[in-house]
Amino acid sequence: MIEKVLIANRGEIALRIMRACREMGIQSVAVHSTADANAMHVRLADESVCIGPPAAKDSYLSTAAILSAASITGADAIHPGYGFLSENADFAEMVEEHGIKFIGPTADHIRLMGDKITAKQAARDSGIPCVPGSDGEVVDFEHAKKWANEIGYPVLIKAAAGGGGRGMKVAKSEAELHDAFDVARNEAEAAFGNGAVYMERYLDRPRHIEVQVLADEEGNVVHLGERDCSLQRRHQKILEESPSPALNSSERAEIGKTVADAVRKLGYRSAGTVEFLYENGEFFFIEMNTRLQVEHPVTEAVTGLDLVREMIRVASGHPLDFTQDEVRMNGHSIECRINAEDPFTFAPSPGPVHEYHAPGGLGVRVDSGLYSGYSVPPNYDSMIAKLIVHGRNRGECLMRLRRALTEFVIDGIKTTIPLHQELILNDEFINGAYDIHWLEEYLKAREADGGK
Ligand code: ADP
């Protein structure tokens, strides 16, 4: 059994993992940069180690510093959280070479899914429906033209090493294809050091729907339903909900089963998420995330399961102690990502938090490392809190969300709380009638209205 976990992360997710450890009687080790010396994850951990200066590349992304911290504290496992080193196959390999358990999938699975071309091939071979597109890398313009004619315009050129919504170019016609292809390749090379690109049909108005799975080392796999993450700005998720207002129960059961069967075939272990675009009743695979996701709490709210606990149990070699039939989906949950940003311009707003008051009451959960007197450092991602609300149905959930958002006080910095307050009063949102372009269009209309 794992006795001491080093958490190779910061902020709310470090706290989240620490909480699961504490419930399980496992010691936790926090690592932090000098900018995070006063962070909540450092205060709440059993032990902490400073691993470097503020720049992430010299601290949270430094494999040498993190492995040294694990070794001096005698940690027998590392949980990477999300972001930073969580999808770095070389890191996972190095951790295990040091005799430390990596709380996540194998390095081979991380590598397979980290390259979108091999990921798509693996998904298709395992029976997952994919967006019609090129069979692997598209190496030159002639090749691109041939595929575009086969797929049909508009097409999307995507980077094999893409991530975070970067490295995608749309071409609506052959005239646009030449430039789009060159730009996509150059951008991919510059951003990821890998110029390989592939092509897909560009779906017009899809929703983003993803399926959560849990798998152990004995081949037991369960799916925990889906999350709808269509509310996006610049391909970044802003609000997520489970279940999706767009699916009926037979679609839900069917896609869940398809994903669980595929994941079993792949021999995958730990938590994972298979992401799809959903349009006109059809699912199209876009990628698999081989880690815990930011939005995992909505799944926890509707299933009552603790995903981090399950990841730790699987890493300890335990089989899942429940079956698919025992998974019960209960009610509805919505998560709002709260960023330290201006709610109109989205300019980052780091700095001191004078007053902090988190909402509470029935069905409300807040995951955040904030406290009164804390100063949000400018060096990292701007997400500072997640508000997760649960109700017996979507209506009750929205009612609680409205109430919780009015109680939430984060004083001193600008946050996106006012944006969420506004969104959840919108009729289209209330009716669940939104796709991946809805928020961008909403924001554009708001801007044209004079910023309000
Ligand atoms: P990343 O790893 O960069 O997040 P994804 O492949 O997951 O890239 O895609 C991110 C987002 O880009 C999706 O949620 C969707 O909004 C959009 N997208 C991706 N592929 C397509 C497609 N074939 N058609 C339309 N939109 C797409």
Side-chain angles (χ1 to χ4, degrees), residues 98 292 303:
H98 280 72
L292 188 67
T303 60

Short mmCIF file of all heavy atoms in Angstrom, two decimals, residues 98 292 303:
data_model
loop_
_atom_site.label_atom_id
_atom_site.label_comp_id
_atom_site.label_asym_id
_atom_site.label_seq_id
_atom_site.Cartn_x
_atom_site.Cartn_y
_atom_site.Cartn_z
N HIS A 98 12.69 5.09 -10.72
CA HIS A 98 13.21 5.39 -9.38
C HIS A 98 12.51 4.57 -8.30
O HIS A 98 12.65 4.85 -7.12
CB HIS A 98 13.06 6.89 -9.08
CG HIS A 98 14.13 7.72 -9.72
ND1 HIS A 98 14.17 7.96 -11.07
CD2 HIS A 98 15.21 8.34 -9.19
CE1 HIS A 98 15.23 8.71 -11.35
NE2 HIS A 98 15.88 8.95 -10.23
N LEU A 292 -6.26 12.99 -14.48
CA LEU A 292 -7.42 13.59 -13.82
C LEU A 292 -7.71 14.92 -14.51
O LEU A 292 -6.80 15.64 -14.87
CB LEU A 292 -7.03 13.84 -12.36
CG LEU A 292 -8.10 14.28 -11.39
CD1 LEU A 292 -9.10 13.17 -11.17
CD2 LEU A 292 -7.46 14.65 -10.04
N THR A 303 -21.98 10.75 -9.19
CA THR A 303 -21.77 9.32 -8.89
C THR A 303 -21.49 9.06 -7.41
O THR A 303 -21.59 7.92 -6.96
CB THR A 303 -20.55 8.76 -9.68
OG1 THR A 303 -19.39 9.51 -9.29
CG2 THR A 303 -20.77 8.84 -11.17
#
